[in-house]
Amino acid sequence: MASPLSPSSSSVATTRVVILLLLHLSSLFNNLAAKHGTSTTRSHRRPHHSPTSNPKLQQAYIALQAWKRVIYSDPSNFTSNWVGPSVCSYSGVYCAPDPHDPKIQVVAGIDLNHLDIAGFLPDELGLLSDLALLHLNSNRFCGILPQTLANLTFLFELDLSNNRFVGPFPSVVLSLPTLYYLDIRYNEFEGPVPPELFQKDLDAIFLNNNRFTSVIPPNLGGSSASVVVFANNQFGGCIPPSIANLANTLEELLLINTSVSGCLPPEVGFLYKLRVLDVSFNKLVGPIPYSLAGLAHLEQLDLAHNMMSGNCTRGHLYIAKLGKFHILL
């Protein structure tokens, strides 16, 4: 199993997967449009056949040209063809039918993964109001996220991992109504994580390898995520008992090196779908909860480098293997 700490392990972090996802954007857009109470067809609108007669693509042209102007380094010249109004032919830019009028095209996805591009995100990106996928993994984008990203009301996946973004938790993501996948790992975000994050309908939350502090919000269990990765931050405090509320969804929980303390709550044993649990390199004390015995689907359990008591030799690594099940104490 690939480690979820590695940016390259994301199942949607490659261009091929982006293309496959974009093949389904028409139905996705229809669903999102219905969710917003809008019709997917408007018979009184005339079809648009060129970028110059399509206001959505005109707006996208303005946004992408503004972005190109603040790209300071593009080692592979990937954006060299970002010229002219035909934005659907730009490298890394993917178009799909408009969710409101399938007769015209809109910019629905941008994939600049693994290109080592340096620059920042301009306010004009808010003009890409139909964007569903934004993948910027492994570049050198820096600065703070523009608040205009709140205009991306169809954004489904946001991957900003392995860049140089700074500032507090990017609160603009909390205003994205359809966001399902959030990956901001390996950046320089700092300060507390807002409790509102765990009120969103997210499937994957990757916050690891930043500078987040304070504590894990007590309403962690308000989420519906299947993957939660907080590793390599400085949260401190205890793992909230509300984590039991994630029982129906959570499959992977990684809290490696987050300075969490106290006891491992027995509520962790209620997470019956859990396959990976890693709380190593923390300050956990007390007994190993008996409730962990109920995790029938668990494949990896790492409790190493804590101060917990249990059936192991203090100061040594005890490894027990049973089929696919690996336990580190």
Side-chain angles (χ1 to χ4, degrees):
M1 178 183 296
S3 169
L5 296 181
S6 170
S8 63
S9 69
S10 170
S11 61
V12 293
T14 65
T15 302
R16 181 166 62 175
V17 177
V18 171
I19 295 172
L20 291 174
L21 285 169
L22 285 166
L23 292 175
H24 299 284
L25 277 177
S26 295
S27 60
L28 169 63
F29 276 156
N30 287 340
N31 291 337
L32 295 179
K35 186 175 181 179
H36 283 259
T38 58
S39 173
T40 58
T41 58
R42 295 181 181 178
S43 59
H44 64 279
R45 294 185 64 176
R46 290 164 36 176
H48 302 279
H49 300 289
S50 71
T52 56
S53 63
N54 182 338
K56 293 290 188 72
L57 294 185
Q58 290 176 356
Q59 294 285 82
Y61 172 71
I62 294 171
L64 294 170
Q65 290 302 305
W67 198 0
K68 186 176 181 180
R69 287 193 294 271
V70 294
I71 289 177
Y72 307 127
S73 175
D74 182 0
S76 62
N77 293 318
F78 189 78
T79 61
S80 61
N81 73 338
W82 286 23
V83 178
S86 299
V87 295
C88 294
S89 65
Y90 287 10
S91 297
V93 176
Y94 302 90
C95 292
D98 188 318
H100 304 296
D101 185 350
K103 297 177 182 178
I104 66 172
Q105 294 283 298
V106 297
V107 172
I110 296 177
D111 174 32
L112 302 181
N113 281 352
H114 303 285
L115 293 170
D116 198 31
I117 293 173
F120 63 90
L121 307 187
D123 289 340
E124 287 84 353
L125 289 186
L127 296 173
L128 299 170
S129 57
D130 297 292
L131 204 63
L133 311 174
L134 180 58
H135 294 169
L136 305 180
N137 181 320
S138 300
N139 286 286
R140 290 175 286 148
F141 289 113
C142 61
I144 60 175
L145 303 190
Q147 288 299 312
T148 55
L149 294 184
N151 295 332
L152 309 186
T153 55
F154 288 103
L155 196 63
F156 191 72
E157 296 182 359
L158 178 61
D159 184 353
L160 306 177
S161 60
N162 198 20
N163 279 283
R164 300 175 182 177
F165 293 111
V166 299
F169 181 91
S171 60
V172 66
V173 305
L174 303 176
S175 61
L176 300 174
T178 60
L179 192 65
Y180 191 67
Y181 179 97
L182 176 65
D183 191 346
I184 60 172
R185 54 187 156 171
Y186 291 95
N187 279 288
E188 300 291 333
F189 294 116
E190 60 190 52
V193 172
E196 292 82 2
L197 179 65
F198 305 105
Q199 297 170 359
K200 295 188 64 62
D201 187 20
L202 290 166
D203 179 65
I205 303 173
F206 292 94
L207 306 184
N208 54 285
N209 295 80
N210 279 283
R211 299 184 178 186
F212 292 122
T213 55
S214 189
V215 297
I216 298 173
N219 69 329
L220 171 63
S223 176
S224 58
S226 65
V227 178
V228 174
V229 184
F230 289 162
N232 299 313
N233 285 287
Q234 294 297 314
F235 285 110
C238 299
I239 301 172
S242 70
I243 196 170
N245 297 332
L246 285 164
N248 292 327
T249 60
L250 193 61
E251 297 181 9
E252 298 187 21
L253 175 64
L254 288 93
L255 300 176
I256 309 161
N257 189 34
T258 52
S259 294
V260 293
S261 58
C263 296
L264 187 64
E267 286 83 1
V268 172
F270 302 163
L271 304 173
Y272 66 94
K273 290 188 175 181
L274 208 60
R275 294 186 295 107
V276 178
L277 173 61
D278 194 333
V279 294
S280 59
F281 292 92
N282 282 296
K283 302 174 183 178
L284 295 171
V285 298
I288 299 172
Y290 286 111
S291 60
L292 296 188
L295 300 179
H297 298 287
L298 200 64
E299 298 174 8
Q300 298 182 23
L301 171 64
D302 195 338
L303 309 176
H305 300 281
N306 282 285
M307 295 175 285
M308 303 178 69
S309 58
N311 188 19
C312 62
T313 303
R314 179 179 291 274
H316 294 81
L317 183 64
Y318 175 81
I319 304 178
K321 297 183 179 179
L322 179 61
K324 293 173 61 179
F325 180 44
H326 297 262
I327 179 170
L328 301 179
L329 299 175

